[in-house]
Amino acid sequence: RDWTLDRAVFTGSVVGEGDDAYAIIKLQLRGEIHKQEGWATVPLLGASTALRSAKIGGKDAALFVQSGYYTLITNKPGTFDAELEFAVKLFAADGETGFTIPLPAAGATVIGLAVKSEDELDFDVPGAGGLNTTSVGTERRLEAYVPSMSSLTVSWARKLKDNAAEEAKREARVYAEARTLVGVSEGVLTCRTDI
């Protein structure tokens, strides 16, 4: 291979509220260019994100879009460190909020996220090998270790209170009212019941 990506570390936080909310995510990549002569192109991040800044070795990097990825082009062999900052819009559905981001082809991927919330939150990261959540004041934090995948979805929802003990004390009762309409015609009988 002309290049490899050893590690990708995502750290982010949620900005704004409601429909205007989005996540600001910083991506730190460590990679190596193996090609000794000529130019190598390294896809760093999917172009579906809104890139805010890109630095390679602490200096501004000029990236271009190729095959749907922000891509680095270099003729310098050896290791490199890339820092990218981007914004991604949040989705909200059925009481759950989250985002989906494309993942670079790195050997190790870690994601960290901070969400401000008065309520406790349940985080979900499909495919995560490990998931840790902590709370500091009103900030809920997530750290997850994920395998190499093409994209990653992170979502969260308010933690439901455990009412199992109260529910067990109550006697189950069901009340229903039924209305039936029967239609009779030549050779056909139709019934409709609303319960």
Side-chain angles (χ1 to χ4, degrees), residues 3 18 25 32 52 67 70 95-96 101 104 140 142 191:
W3 55 271
I25 300 176
E32 186 164 351
R52 294 178 67 182
S67 302
Y70 293 110
E96 194 172 58
I101 54 174
R140 311 298 173 226
L142 161 77
C191 296

Side-chain angles (χ1 to χ4, degrees), residues 41-120:
T41 56
V42 184
L44 300 178
L45 178 68
S48 62
T49 60
L51 189 63
R52 294 178 67 182
S53 69
K55 294 183 182 291
I56 305 291
K59 298 178 182 176
D60 286 338
L63 304 180
F64 68 99
V65 177
Q66 180 182 33
S67 302
Y69 281 86
Y70 293 110
T71 304
L72 166 69
I73 184 167
T74 183
N75 63 349
K76 297 178 183 175
T79 60
F80 68 91
D81 291 307
E83 295 178 13
L84 292 90
E85 185 174 315
F86 61 94
V88 63
K89 187 80 172 147
L90 300 182
F91 65 78
D94 299 328
E96 194 172 58
T97 306
F99 58 85
T100 300
I101 54 174
L103 291 181
T109 304
V110 179
I111 184 158
L113 181 69
V115 179
K116 289 192 184 247
S117 175
E118 296 291 333
D119 301 315
E120 290 294 320

Side-chain angles (χ1 to χ4, degrees), residues 15 19-20 42 50 73 82 98 104-105 120 132 139 144 151 159 175 177 179 186 189-190:
V15 177
D19 292 340
D20 297 328
V42 184
I73 184 167
E120 290 294 320
N132 300 317
E139 190 173 75
S151 66
K159 188 178 272 190
Y175 298 96
E177 179 179 314
R179 286 185 234 127
E186 193 174 313
L189 177 70
T190 57

